[in-house]
Amino acid sequence: MILLKSVKTAPRQGIILENPTTEDVNKYLPMASSNKLAAFDYEATGLELEDKIVGVSVVDDEYPAGVYFSFKNLDDKTDGVKKIILRRVAMRPTIAHGAQYEQWMTYSALGRYANIQYDTMCLLNSIEGDYAGVPGNKGLKNLQVDLLGWEDKGDVELDEWLTLNGYVNNRGKVLKGEMHNAPDSVLGKYCNMDAQATWDLYQNIFSP
């Protein structure tokens, strides 16, 4: 029995802020939007608690293509900007895909959890068997194609960059754990597309 219907969407060109300022924060994450639902996605140096967040993308109804805030160029003097961004994301009601990771990283950075209201991975996992005629892997990249109708997965450009820059194992498989080394123009685009897909899954598939 097919419970979910696929939709036809496409990735959108988001905003990438390589050196976010307090002015950027107030423009794209104003306090007035603190009660508005948003989707978000982190990029980090790894998957462990001791790893560091290197950027975050936020998608909402005002910025449906996403805004990526890079932390790579923030030094000790501008670390306060990073904390402001993370706090404003954490206080908003949000959607994540695989929220456990976002919660771990949020707690590691802020000592508090994010206000995640919906986890699209959990929503999918609550449906037994095949969904929307698509069996098996419920990873976000597969869902971009299988449920959201994208022509390609959102990691194609990132994988090409990793391959060209030698981040592959001895079998030629890309080392996704090294993606934080990619420039913001590549990593930010990738992160925005993940946040877009999370937002679109909820809005187009799960939202009442």
Side-chain angles (χ1 to χ4, degrees):
M1 176 179 172
I2 296 175
L3 300 178
L4 300 177
K5 298 290 186 180
S6 60
V7 296
K8 182 62 177 177
T9 66
R12 304 174 287 276
Q13 187 66 46
I15 297 167
I16 297 173
L17 301 174
E18 296 186 9
N19 294 282
T21 64
T22 52
E23 289 78 12
D24 292 324
V25 177
N26 291 327
K27 178 179 179 179
Y28 297 110
L29 291 175
M31 288 299 295
S33 69
S34 60
N35 292 320
K36 292 174 58 179
L37 187 66
F40 79 105
D41 185 71
Y42 287 143
E43 297 304 332
T45 55
L47 300 176
E48 305 299 330
L49 281 175
E50 60 267 22
D51 288 306
K52 303 297 183 184
I53 299 170
V54 298
V56 59
S57 175
V58 182
V59 171
D60 59 19
D61 55 7
E62 187 170 359
Y63 297 102
V67 180
Y68 179 75
F69 300 87
S70 174
F71 301 152
K72 287 185 177 182
N73 298 316
L74 299 184
D75 55 25
D76 291 341
K77 294 181 180 179
T78 54
D79 187 60
V81 175
K82 175 180 177 180
K83 288 292 178 66
I84 293 170
I85 293 169
L86 291 174
R87 287 192 186 105
R88 292 201 183 180
V89 173
M91 73 169 54
R92 292 182 70 164
T94 46
I95 312 160
H97 189 82
Q100 185 178 36
Y101 174 73
E102 268 70 26
Q103 291 289 37
W104 283 345
M105 299 307 291
T106 302
Y107 190 86
S108 178
L110 298 177
R112 57 160 292 180
Y113 293 111
N115 183 20
I116 297 175
Q117 300 292 303
Y118 307 101
D119 182 342
T120 49
M121 180 182 287
C122 286
L123 289 170
L124 285 166
N125 285 335
S126 70
I127 300 173
E128 295 183 358
D130 296 354
Y131 58 95
V134 183
N137 194 315
K138 298 176 185 177
L140 192 56
K141 307 305 176 295
N142 284 4
L143 298 175
Q144 289 168 348
V145 174
D146 296 336
L147 277 185
L148 296 177
W150 293 15
E151 292 186 4
D152 295 302
K153 297 179 182 180
D155 58 359
V156 173
E157 185 176 342
L158 175 64
D159 284 356
E160 290 176 350
W161 186 92
L162 289 169
T163 301
L164 287 172
N165 287 275
Y167 293 106
V168 294
N169 63 18
N170 55 12
R171 295 183 179 181
K173 184 177 180 180
V174 296
L175 300 173
K176 285 291 181 66
E178 300 297 330
M179 68 172 66
H180 61 276
N181 292 301
D184 288 325
S185 58
V186 175
L187 188 63
K189 181 179 179 180
Y190 168 85
C191 192
N192 274 339
M193 287 195 287
D194 274 4
Q196 287 173 28
T198 301
W199 176 259
D200 287 353
L201 280 171
Y202 179 76
Q203 295 293 340
N204 296 306
I205 305 293
F206 292 112
S207 183

